[in-house]
Amino acid sequence: MTTRVLIIGAGLSSGLLVDRLQQRADVELTVLEGGDAPGGNHTWCFHDTDVSGATLQWLKPFTSKSWRDHDVAFPSFTRTLSGEYFAIRSHDFAKRVTQRLGSKLRTRTRARDVTATTVTLESGEKLDADLIIDARGTQSDTNSGFQKFLGREVLLEKPHGLTRPLLMDASVKQLDGFRFIYVLPWDERRVLIEDTRYADTADIDAPAFRSEIDAFLTARGWKIEAVEREELAALPIPFAGNAPSFSRPVIGVSGGFFHATTGYSVPFAADIAERIASLPTLDAHALTTLLNARARDHWHEMGFFRLLNRMLFKGAEPAERVKVFESFYRHSPELIARFYAGKLTWADKLIALRRGAPTVPAFRAMKAAWGS
Ligand SMILES: Cc1cc2nc3c(=O)[nH]c(=O)nc-3n(C[C@H](O)[C@H](O)[C@H](O)COP(=O)(O)OP(=O)(O)OC[C@H]3O[C@@H](n4cnc5c(N)ncnc54)[C@H](O)[C@@H]3O)c2cc1C
């Protein structure tokens, strides 16, 4: 029997789910996207150690570029870490998803009301399906700090000489909280350069971010020939709350599937896509149960990261937050990899707390750790 599956939103979690569901012969897919194309305007990155070898194999065709190692820089040290780092550019993602879906993808089509089996579009049209999956990417930002950034993809006048990404240059002046510059070298003259801040508020003063990026480029002797693209976002970095729970299937960041400290979601979106595609039968009840249970488990797995967030945002003064990350990046490469993957062991957590705690005043750290 064929199941008519309708997915609302053609962003990251939806595109990955489409890929997995297309392995099944019993699914007839329709995807609605409110924007002009799938994927929006993003650069999504992840480390090879964030996912299993098998997951990496099917994610690879989505990726635009990868690098074998990367650098981090802090006021007191710089470090090169090995391990493959992958980037998915949303225009490459859009091409792949559009090609895979063909006429099953409807862009510029916004859902207004959603029930278990019917979507009402903003145009008033109603669409029925056996299973409706919500992948609209909206996130709650109550009781959270923010990771906010503005990135510019620029063509430089001359080659920059970078051979690997600069994942975090936190030797720059600290503004708004913890601040670092992130640079991805696409080719010898083209880079994505982002000014990122772990800040208390979500507002982004775009002209001020741009001029800080210009100052970084100037300090390196790099001159912009052309700005080709810009992306900006403020990702909620939660302190506390409850696991999300829904009466119908919700995936992606709206479903709670993101890393509480980095805001990243690629590995979790891939995991959910695999879990859904391997269900013996696709029905709303089974899927809602699966997703709510997984969201609860993920929320628990992220508990330690929310504690770190409270220590970072509430235990440390904004200008001191850099010390928390500086201390963290002195850990072993294996522990750092497990942090990004969201898979710290108990031993890792003890080590991270022992080394991180002295970087914030003891009383404030304790208040922050237990507070909510
Ligand atoms: C600029 C930016 C960069 C990021 N970089 C990274 C990164 O490097 N690595 C990482 O892991 N994470 C990153 N993230 C965080 C997170 O992974 C992304 O937000 C990710 O795109 C979330 O996936 P999603 O599928 O939940 O939502 P989205 O990818 O946002 O997809 C939601 C889609 O639903 C559509 N939509 C919304 N409402 C409707 C409607 N009513 N009807 C129809 N369609 C609708 C939207 O247009 C959108 O295309 C980044 C986030 C941003 C904003």
Side-chain angles (χ1 to χ4, degrees):
M1 201 181 76
T2 302
T3 308
R4 292 171 307 141
V5 178
L6 191 154
I7 308 178
I8 311 172
L12 179 69
S13 60
S14 166
L16 298 185
L17 177 60
V18 164
D19 186 272
R20 292 298 84 191
L21 285 180
Q22 285 188 328
Q23 316 291 314
R24 293 178 64 139
D26 60 344
V27 172
E28 190 187 302
L29 270 172
T30 304
V31 179
L32 309 179
E33 169 53 44
D36 294 341
N41 178 24
H42 293 278
T43 311
W44 296 290
C45 292
F46 63 98
H47 299 267
D48 56 354
T49 43
D50 293 347
V51 293
S52 70
T55 303
L56 187 58
Q57 284 318 307
W58 71 263
L59 282 181
K60 270 185 180 170
F62 282 96
T63 61
S64 311
K65 192 170 169 83
S66 72
W67 299 266
R68 294 165 66 92
D69 43 23
H70 60 267
D71 289 335
V72 291
F74 288 93
S76 61
F77 69 96
T78 60
R79 190 172 181 189
T80 300
L81 290 149
S82 57
E84 205 162 0
Y85 187 66
F86 291 88
I88 304 172
R89 302 170 92 175
S90 51
H91 63 259
D92 292 331
F93 180 87
K95 261 188 235 156
R96 186 171 172 83
V97 174
T98 307
Q99 214 169 45
R100 297 295 293 268
L101 281 169
S103 60
K104 304 288 184 191
L105 171 67
R106 290 180 59 176
T107 54
R108 297 190 200 103
T109 306
R110 287 193 74 78
R112 192 184 61 208
D113 300 317
V114 184
T115 67
T117 52
T118 307
V119 175
T120 308
L121 303 182
E122 284 188 348
S123 62
E125 185 186 350
K126 287 185 190 296
L127 301 172
D128 292 328
D130 302 316
L131 173 63
I132 294 175
I133 300 176
D134 192 335
R136 281 183 281 185
T138 38
Q139 272 178 289
S140 155
D141 61 3
T142 49
N143 209 353
S144 72
F146 295 90
Q147 188 209 140
K148 61 187 183 186
F149 53 88
L150 183 143
R152 308 190 98 189
E153 208 156 289
V154 298
L155 178 67
L156 299 170
E157 285 182 1
K158 295 201 178 120
H160 46 69
L162 289 181
T163 53
R164 51 181 168 257
L166 179 54
L167 229 62
M168 201 175 261
D169 184 348
S171 65
V172 294
K173 114 181 122 185
Q174 296 298 297
L175 298 166
D176 270 351
F178 172 50
R179 169 179 180 244
F180 61 91
I181 295 280
Y182 171 92
V183 189
L184 285 186
W186 295 126
D187 59 33
E188 63 168 17
R189 284 173 56 209
R190 194 170 272 108
V191 292
L192 170 68
I193 176 163
E194 282 181 5
D195 186 326
T196 302
R197 303 174 190 185
Y198 275 72
D200 298 327
T201 62
D203 58 298
I204 297 176
D205 178 351
F209 274 65
R210 287 187 200 112
S211 66
E212 290 299 339
I213 288 175
D214 286 348
F216 182 87
L217 293 171
T218 307
R220 294 218 158 199
W222 295 340
K223 286 203 181 105
I224 296 179
E225 184 170 304
V227 177
E228 300 183 331
R229 199 178 66 84
E230 229 178 59
E231 64 183 68
L232 75 169
L235 310 178
I237 300 298
F239 299 144
N242 296 305
S245 178
F246 298 93
S247 55
R248 48 192 180 74
V250 179
I251 62 167
V253 292
S254 327
F257 303 111
F258 62 95
H259 190 297
T261 302
T262 67
Y264 279 20
S265 76
V266 173
F268 311 109
D271 171 65
I272 291 296
E274 287 172 351
R275 285 172 194 263
I276 295 177
S278 63
L279 280 175
T281 50
L282 288 167
D283 72 80
H285 179 71
L287 189 49
T288 307
T289 306
L290 173 110
L291 290 171
N292 282 338
R294 185 65 207 118
R296 248 187 340 265
D297 290 348
H298 182 70
W299 183 260
H300 287 304
E301 286 154 19
M302 287 292 127
F304 182 77
F305 296 91
R306 288 190 299 278
L307 180 142
L308 291 183
N309 295 345
R310 293 197 295 277
M311 290 182 72
L312 176 68
F313 281 87
K314 297 183 177 181
E317 291 294 344
E320 303 287 298
R321 289 177 193 164
V322 62
K323 290 187 189 161
V324 177
F325 276 86
E326 187 168 37
S327 141
F328 167 75
Y329 261 104
R330 290 188 190 276
H331 289 304
S332 70
E334 293 78 17
L335 188 151
I336 294 170
R338 289 193 292 272
F339 168 85
Y340 277 101
K343 294 192 176 122
L344 289 175
T345 63
W346 278 107
D348 292 337
K349 291 175 188 175
L350 284 175
I351 293 168
L353 281 180
R354 217 176 49 213
R355 192 174 283 169
T359 61
V360 295
F363 179 67
R364 291 191 62 177
M366 273 170 62
K367 253 181 84 181
W370 298 114
S372 58

